[in-house]
Amino acid sequence: MRLGLERKIVVLVGGTRGIGRDLVEGFLAEGAHVHCCGRMSAYRACAAFHGRLYRHSVNASDANALKDCVQFIGRSYGDVDVVVGNVAGFSESDDAETWTQTYATELQSLTALCTAAIPYLRRSRGNIVAVASSNGNQADLLDSGPHGAITAGVVHYMTQLALTLAPRGIRVNVVSPDRLYIQNSVSGQEVADAVVWIASERAAFVSGTNVVIDGVSSLIRGSD
């Protein structure tokens, strides 16, 4: 799409499968250098992207390990231009252990990622995008576990961060596909295209936005 992402340094957490894999390929196709952080470091891009994909094995729910990884990237490869958090899960369990794990995986990891990246984003005047879920926008009878509540926290955190970082020239946005959309991978490419565009200079005045990609299912649930 020629979005002005050539040679930009992208840090992506959760980019080894599903939407994450589409995100990796989307940024690589735009000429960016992509640092893929996650437990699985075996993802291999096609030969055309050789030399611009870097894999870092890290447990994203380990806040300290994630901060160390981001700081290593910033020190070793220069300023970070784009940060993408794509760590999410879904469980119908409602026990304390599931709440704790969901919080660590979906929200705590995002705050750690952002905190570690902000010093580098200040210099590059870069931006942050979180891939969340439309379940964070309203209650859902099918989502009795912690996912919806934690995702609502993700959206609120990112909105507050957008306000806080605006004077420093850092944009912050959310892309929220439908939960089933994520699980079934109906079209991860559509989600990835939205994220890549929002992260690019073509969206230079877009910040504090939550882009919902759910085929009006949120509107349908809201009208019931």
Side-chain angles (χ1 to χ4, degrees):
M1 291 187 283
R2 296 187 180 275
L3 298 175
L5 288 166
E6 295 85 355
R7 299 189 179 89
K8 298 294 185 181
I9 297 177
V10 178
V11 175
L12 169 62
V13 177
T16 55
R17 57 185 177 181
I19 291 174
R21 181 171 181 141
D22 289 318
L23 286 168
V24 170
E25 294 179 351
F27 280 110
L28 288 173
E30 289 296 322
H33 291 257
V34 180
H35 292 264
C36 186
C37 308
R39 288 184 178 181
M40 299 170 61
S41 59
Y43 175 75
R44 296 180 180 178
C46 66
F49 301 137
H50 179 69
R52 290 193 286 109
L53 175 63
Y54 310 83
R55 297 179 292 274
H56 306 270
S57 182
V58 61
N59 180 356
S61 63
D62 184 336
N64 290 327
L66 188 57
K67 286 180 181 179
D68 289 344
C69 183
V70 173
Q71 289 170 354
F72 170 78
I73 295 169
R75 291 193 303 266
S76 303
Y77 297 93
D79 289 338
V80 174
D81 298 294
V82 178
V83 171
V84 180
N86 178 50
V87 181
F90 178 79
S91 174
E92 294 182 353
S93 299
D94 198 26
D95 56 79
E97 182 180 355
T98 301
W99 276 90
T100 299
Q101 184 59 44
T102 303
Y103 167 74
T105 301
E106 298 189 19
L107 184 53
Q108 188 177 40
S109 66
L110 181 63
T111 62
L113 173 65
C114 294
T115 299
I118 284 171
Y120 303 102
L121 294 172
R122 286 178 183 171
R123 293 200 293 264
S124 66
R125 296 179 70 85
N127 69 93
I128 305 167
V129 185
V131 180
S133 164
S134 60
N135 284 48
N137 300 328
Q138 64 184 59
D140 187 342
L141 288 173
L142 298 178
D143 189 1
S144 59
H147 174 69
I150 299 299
T151 303
V154 167
V155 174
H156 185 88
Y157 169 68
M158 294 293 282
T159 302
Q160 185 62 52
L161 204 59
L163 289 170
T164 302
L165 297 179
R168 301 171 184 171
I170 301 173
R171 298 187 298 112
V172 182
N173 292 287
V174 180
V175 173
S176 296
D178 184 83
R179 173 174 57 84
L180 294 177
Y181 196 102
I182 295 174
Q183 287 186 323
N184 297 330
S185 297
V186 175
S187 177
Q189 186 63 60
E190 184 176 350
V191 180
D193 286 348
V195 172
V196 172
W197 176 78
I198 287 173
S200 77
E201 61 184 24
R202 295 284 186 91
F205 207 60
V206 179
S207 191
T209 296
N210 180 14
V211 178
V212 179
I213 305 176
D214 68 356
V216 307
S217 64
S218 294
L219 297 178
I220 295 172
R221 289 198 300 268
S223 64
D224 290 342

